[in-house]
Amino acid sequence: MRFQGSEKYYLDPELGAIVDIAMVMEKPLLITGEAGTGKTQLAFEISRSLDMPIEVLRCKSTIKGEESCYVQDTVLRLNDARFGTAETGRNVNEFHDYVIWGPIGRAFRAEERVVLLLDEIDKTESDVQDNLLDVLEDCQFTIREVNETIRARQRPVIIVTSNAKRELSDPFLRRCYCHHIAFPTPEQMREIVKLHFVDLDQGLLDAALTIFYDLRQRGYEKPPATSELLNWLGALQHAKVTPDRLNLPFVGTLLKRSEDLLSWRDGGKRTKVH
């Protein structure tokens, strides 16, 4: 199977090549890039276009590697021990009746090959990153409570995303194929827009792209990205805005931070306090 993009996802040839190689070589693919450039969406489009289920691990600073594989519902087990399980079908002496599988656990236990997305891995600590890669590289983990090893029935397609908020460890990087999604050029952006707006007025698109790329050069804390542009174009089209009336309406679809909006309203005169 090869991912060749979709009717909603513009696939740069270099990205397409590395996705294909990662799938064939069964290596995790680390995707970096600015927020809103399609890193997370890539995994969902691979899943959809190749008709593969997807499991998603939304990473956060408090996550532990074990809970991404499984957790035991101890509260339910204690409740059953106290009140009984006659109507539940559970056995309080059976550990597996109280296991809640995490995204990695579900991916490993699936009968068919799935896409496994580790989203925003840079939010986790380096030891958690390395532990996760150990599990994914070996395609197995151990349930400590019963000393049982769970092995992957099918090695998943592993997509890892990072916004580069925190440096990833060298061992982690060494085990992945890596690709950085550069921000689209105006020509590439036109191709992306075509996938979402087939009948958009070209004059409106020309004017909108000029404003969009100008905003990105103004040094805002969170410059508008591809997703913001698409949302803005949708609003413009719905409101039937014409190119001659395009004077940055619905600015809140492009700029999201309060300081950025205030700076724009002040004509860029407001200075950020660090």
Side-chain angles (χ1 to χ4, degrees):
M1 295 185 293
R2 296 187 62 184
F3 176 60
Q4 298 178 317
S6 71
E7 71 279 6
K8 293 296 184 182
Y9 194 90
Y10 172 76
L11 188 67
D12 177 82
E14 184 179 355
L15 176 57
I18 195 67
V19 168
D20 185 42
I21 291 171
M23 291 179 64
V24 171
M25 301 300 292
E26 298 184 334
K27 296 276 285 185
L29 175 59
L30 172 63
I31 302 293
T32 61
E34 185 178 325
T37 51
K39 302 185 299 297
T40 300
Q41 193 61 30
L42 172 66
F44 285 94
E45 290 301 319
I46 292 173
S47 166
R48 189 173 66 86
S49 65
L50 298 183
D51 197 23
M52 299 172 66
I54 186 169
E55 294 290 349
V56 181
L57 176 61
R58 304 286 186 188
C59 298
K60 51 188 177 182
S61 59
T62 57
I63 200 170
K64 294 180 173 61
E66 184 177 273
E67 69 189 64
S68 66
C69 298
Y70 77 98
V71 293
Q72 178 190 186
D73 193 337
T74 54
V75 174
L76 179 61
R77 196 173 190 183
L78 288 170
N79 187 72
D80 284 354
R82 181 179 180 184
F83 297 106
T85 61
E87 298 178 357
T88 67
R90 294 186 294 268
N91 180 353
V92 74
N93 296 313
E94 177 54 55
F95 173 83
H96 291 87
D97 286 355
Y98 300 92
V99 170
I100 300 174
W101 299 105
I104 293 177
R106 293 192 297 269
F108 283 8
R109 298 177 74 247
E111 294 291 344
E112 56 186 321
R113 196 180 190 193
V114 307
V115 176
L116 176 59
L117 170 62
L118 278 62
D119 201 27
E120 298 187 344
I121 193 71
D122 51 314
K123 289 183 177 179
T124 64
E125 299 294 336
S126 60
D127 59 336
V128 174
Q129 298 165 16
D130 295 341
N131 290 340
L132 287 173
L133 259 293
D134 284 339
V135 169
L136 297 175
E137 189 170 57
D138 297 338
C139 264
Q140 65 179 43
F141 62 88
T142 299
I143 300 178
R144 296 180 295 101
E145 292 85 348
V146 292
N147 195 30
E148 177 184 351
T149 299
I150 303 296
R151 295 182 176 84
R153 296 169 181 171
Q154 297 277 350
R155 184 176 286 270
V157 175
I158 302 168
I159 305 295
V160 186
T161 71
S162 171
N163 289 326
K165 295 289 181 65
R166 179 184 297 171
E167 288 295 327
L168 302 178
S169 70
D170 289 339
F172 188 95
L173 295 172
R174 199 161 45 239
R175 296 175 181 180
C176 298
Y177 287 150
C178 303
H179 180 82
H180 179 80
I181 298 181
F183 197 83
T185 65
E187 292 73 24
Q188 291 173 325
M189 191 64 81
R190 288 179 183 278
E191 296 300 317
I192 293 171
V193 170
K194 283 180 185 178
L195 297 177
H196 295 266
F197 300 94
V198 294
D199 57 350
L200 188 68
D201 179 84
Q202 288 304 300
L204 180 63
L205 177 58
D206 291 342
L209 287 178
T210 298
I211 292 173
F212 173 74
Y213 279 98
D214 175 66
L215 286 177
R216 284 187 53 81
Q217 300 301 316
R218 295 193 182 186
Y220 290 123
E221 183 179 351
K222 186 186 184 305
T226 306
S227 57
E228 282 80 26
L229 173 64
L230 295 175
N231 289 336
W232 186 45
L233 289 172
L236 295 176
Q237 189 176 52
H238 178 75
K240 296 181 171 56
V241 175
T242 57
D244 57 295
R245 292 171 48 211
L246 188 57
N247 187 24
L248 204 46
F250 316 120
V251 65
T253 61
L254 290 170
L255 301 177
K256 304 298 179 68
R257 299 283 171 84
S258 297
E259 281 297 316
D260 292 342
L261 285 166
L262 291 172
S263 177
W264 174 78
R265 287 170 183 164
D266 289 349
K269 298 175 183 178
R270 180 179 292 263
T271 57
K272 294 185 176 67
V273 178
H274 296 283

